[in-house]
Amino acid sequence: MKIVNVKVIVCSPGRNFVTLKIETDEGIYGLGDATLNGRELSVASYLQDHLIPCLVGRDPFQTEDIWHYFYRGAYWRRGPVTMTAIAAIDMALWDIKGKALGAPVYNLLGGKSREGVLVYAHANGHDISETIDEVERYRDMGYLAIRAQSGVPGLKSTYGVPRDHKYYEPAERGLPSESLWSAEEYLRHVPRLFDALRNKVGEDLHLLHDVHHRLTPVQAARLGKELEPYHLFWMEDAIAAELQDGFRLIRRHTTTPLAVGEVFNSIWDAEQLIREQLIDYLRMSVVHGGGITAMKKAADFAAVYHVQLGSHGASDLSPVCMAAALHLDIAINNFGIQEHMLHNPETEETFPHAYFFRDGLMYPGETPGLGVDLDEEVAARFPYQRAYLPVNRKEDGTLFHW
Ligand code: KDG
Ligand code: MG
C-alpha cells in the first residue's frame, strides 16, 4: 500500500479544528487530529509545507519509521507545533492500518484491558451553588467522575467558568480577552467549594479540580493539604508545568493526587516527574504528545513507575483525537481516567464517530481503524475563524499564566 494524497482540512464548527487526511492507492484513508488551540494555522503550514511532501509515496504501515523520520529527521525536535503535526500523521496511519487489517486500533495495541473507559465531565458554575447544580446534573447523566470549577468571589472571570451562562469554550473568536487573577482569593475559595460539594454529593462520586498552572509550589502544597479531607481524584496543573522541581515540594506536603501534562508534547517533558514519582497521572494527549506511537511508549514508561494515564480531552481536541485516546485508554494497563468535555452539536455533525458514552464509561466502538470520520461537505460550511485563548493578569496588571 502507498500513500498517494494527503490533505489538511481546517474547519470551524463552533471552534477551529485542523484535520489531516491521508489517502492510499487502495482507497483506504486515515484521519489525524492536528488542532493546536489558538495556533491552528501554524500546524497546518508545518504539515502542508514541510511534512506532506515527504509523506507521499510511503508505505502507511511503517508507523515507527515514519514517526522517527519526522521527529529525528527534522533535527529540530519537540515543541507543540512539530509534535502536533507528527501526531496527526501518526493517528492517520494507525487509522489506515486498522482499516486495512479490519481491526479496531485498540486490538493492534494489545487488545482490551478493560470493558470501558472511565471519563470525567466538566461542571462549571459562577458560584458554589451553581457548581453543585452542575455536578448533580452530570451525575444524573451517569458520570462517575466530575471536575468542579467555580467562579471566585472578587474576580470578574475565572478559568473554566463561562461568561454568560452558556457552554464553556476556552478559545474565543477575535483577539485574546484578558482575565484577572488573585491567588489569595482563589486559595480561600476552593476548599469551601469542595466542602460544600462533599456535603451535598457524598463520598462516592470522584471529584477533580484544575488549578490551571496558577499557584506557586508552596501555595499548591497548601491547597493540596486543605483539600485532603475531600478526597479528590486529582488536583491538576497545580503549578506551571515547567517548574518540575516544584512538584517535589508539593508532594512532600500533601497526599492529594497530582496530575500534570496537558501542555507537554514529549516524554522528555515528563521524564523526571515520572521517574521520581512526583505525579500520579500524566495528562499528555495523543494530539499534542506525538500520536499513538509516542503515547503508547510514554504510557509504558509511566507504567514502570506506577504512574497512570489521565489524558487531556477538552473540546479543542477533535473527535479524531478523542477516538484515538479511547483506543489507547482501553488497551493499556496503567489507564487512570480520560477527560471528556462534550463537543458542540456542529462538531458532532462534522465528525461522525463510533465511540459512545454509557453509564459513566466510554467505549471506542468496534469499527476498524479509529472509528471516526470527517464529513467534508459539512466541514466546508464552517470555515476557519481566528480565535485565541485568553491571557491572564494579576490584579496589579502583571502578565501571568492563563
Ligand atoms: O486549549 C487549552 C484547553 O484545552 C485547556 O485550557 C483545558 O485545562 C484544560 C483542561 O483541563 O481541559
Ligand atoms: Mg487542564
Side-chain angles (χ1 to χ4, degrees):
M1 198 187 290
K2 269 196 169 37
I3 296 170
V4 289
N5 190 38
V6 188
K7 54 185 180 182
V8 180
I9 300 155
V10 184
C11 63
S12 195
R15 68 148 0 273
N16 292 322
F17 292 113
V18 181
T19 309
L20 187 74
K21 183 169 186 175
I22 300 183
E23 295 167 344
T24 65
D25 57 353
E26 295 187 15
I28 296 174
Y29 63 86
L31 296 178
D33 183 17
T35 310
L36 185 62
N37 204 5
R39 296 291 186 269
E40 295 87 0
L41 299 185
S42 54
V43 185
S45 157
Y46 194 88
L47 281 162
Q48 198 72 64
D49 298 325
H50 304 290
L51 304 196
I52 291 174
C54 308
L55 198 54
V56 174
R58 286 178 189 274
D59 174 357
F61 267 70
Q62 292 179 353
T63 43
E64 188 69 22
D65 185 67
I66 291 175
W67 193 92
H68 286 280
Y69 188 88
F70 290 124
Y71 180 77
R72 292 170 198 263
Y75 183 62
W76 311 108
R77 296 179 192 182
R78 302 164 62 180
V81 174
T82 306
M83 298 309 285
T84 303
I86 295 176
I89 292 174
D90 187 73
M91 262 180 261
L93 297 181
W94 279 96
D95 193 20
I96 291 171
K97 212 188 280 221
K99 286 174 177 170
L101 297 173
V105 168
Y106 71 77
N107 267 339
L108 308 179
L109 301 173
K112 279 188 191 169
S113 285
R114 59 195 54 77
E115 279 311 309
V117 170
L118 176 68
V119 292
Y120 71 90
H122 282 209
N124 312 312
H126 289 87
D127 53 27
I128 290 177
S129 90
E130 239 184 62
T131 304
I132 292 176
D133 290 349
E134 278 290 282
V135 167
E136 291 186 310
R137 191 168 72 82
Y138 279 104
R139 186 192 54 189
D140 294 347
M141 287 162 68
Y143 284 91
L144 306 169
I146 302 172
R147 185 188 96 162
Q149 309 289 135
S150 141
V152 176
L155 293 184
K156 67 175 194 274
S157 61
T158 310
Y159 163 74
V161 180
R163 275 172 204 284
D164 37 20
H165 290 249
K166 283 197 202 133
Y167 184 72
Y168 175 70
E169 160 54 53
E172 290 169 7
R173 287 171 176 170
L175 294 176
S177 64
E178 295 199 359
S179 52
L180 281 187
W181 172 246
S182 159
E184 292 72 29
E185 307 278 357
Y186 172 82
L187 283 168
R188 273 199 290 272
H189 181 67
V190 178
R192 288 184 197 140
L193 167 68
F194 284 93
D195 185 47
L197 262 172
R198 275 290 177 228
N199 278 326
K200 192 73 202 252
V201 303
E203 277 286 332
D204 285 346
L205 200 61
H206 294 305
L207 294 176
L208 300 84
H209 182 69
D210 190 351
V211 180
H212 220 259
H213 321 276
R214 293 177 182 187
L215 296 176
T216 64
V218 79
Q219 288 169 337
R222 169 183 150 189
L223 182 63
K225 247 168 126 161
E226 292 186 6
L227 291 175
E228 279 171 21
Y230 313 115
H231 301 137
L232 263 60
F233 189 98
W234 76 34
M235 176 168 76
E236 175 187 341
D237 285 345
I239 57 173
E242 57 268 42
L243 216 53
Q244 305 220 334
D245 286 335
F247 282 88
R248 215 175 281 134
L249 189 143
I250 308 172
R251 204 48 150 182
R252 220 175 274 144
H253 291 281
T254 180
T255 55
T256 295
L258 302 175
V260 72
E262 69 181 41
V263 297
F264 292 169
N265 48 69
S266 116
I267 188 60
W268 298 110
D269 294 326
E271 190 269 340
Q272 178 197 352
L273 295 176
I274 294 171
R275 184 172 36 77
E276 294 188 26
Q277 296 171 57
L278 301 179
I279 56 169
D280 300 281
Y281 297 93
L282 177 64
R283 298 257 307 133
M284 205 155 77
S285 67
V286 178
V287 56
H288 303 135
I292 293 171
T293 296
M295 283 300 292
K296 174 73 166 72
K297 292 177 188 178
D300 289 345
F301 175 68
V304 174
Y305 298 93
H306 297 211
V307 171
Q308 293 176 281
L309 199 67
S311 73
H312 187 204
S315 53
D316 48 291
L317 282 66
S318 93
V320 180
C321 178
M322 189 69 201
L326 291 170
H327 283 275
L328 182 67
D329 294 339
I330 210 160
I332 59 170
N333 175 267
N334 57 326
F335 165 74
I337 199 166
Q338 170 66 49
E339 182 178 11
H340 178 221
M341 194 173 160
L342 296 166
H343 285 114
N344 64 31
E346 295 86 351
T347 300
E348 291 287 321
E349 189 193 350
T350 309
F351 295 93
H353 52 76
Y355 66 76
F356 62 97
F357 172 85
R358 191 173 59 217
D359 299 334
L361 306 182
M362 282 182 82
Y363 301 84
E366 301 302 322
T367 311
L370 294 175
V372 61
D373 213 342
L374 170 64
D375 186 325
E376 293 188 52
E377 279 178 24
V378 175
R381 293 204 327 254
F382 302 113
Y384 168 78
Q385 303 208 22
R386 179 171 289 114
Y388 293 93
L389 289 165
V391 296
N392 192 30
R393 293 186 187 274
K394 293 185 187 177
E395 285 176 304
D396 68 357
T398 309
L399 198 90
F400 195 50
H401 325 295
W402 174 69

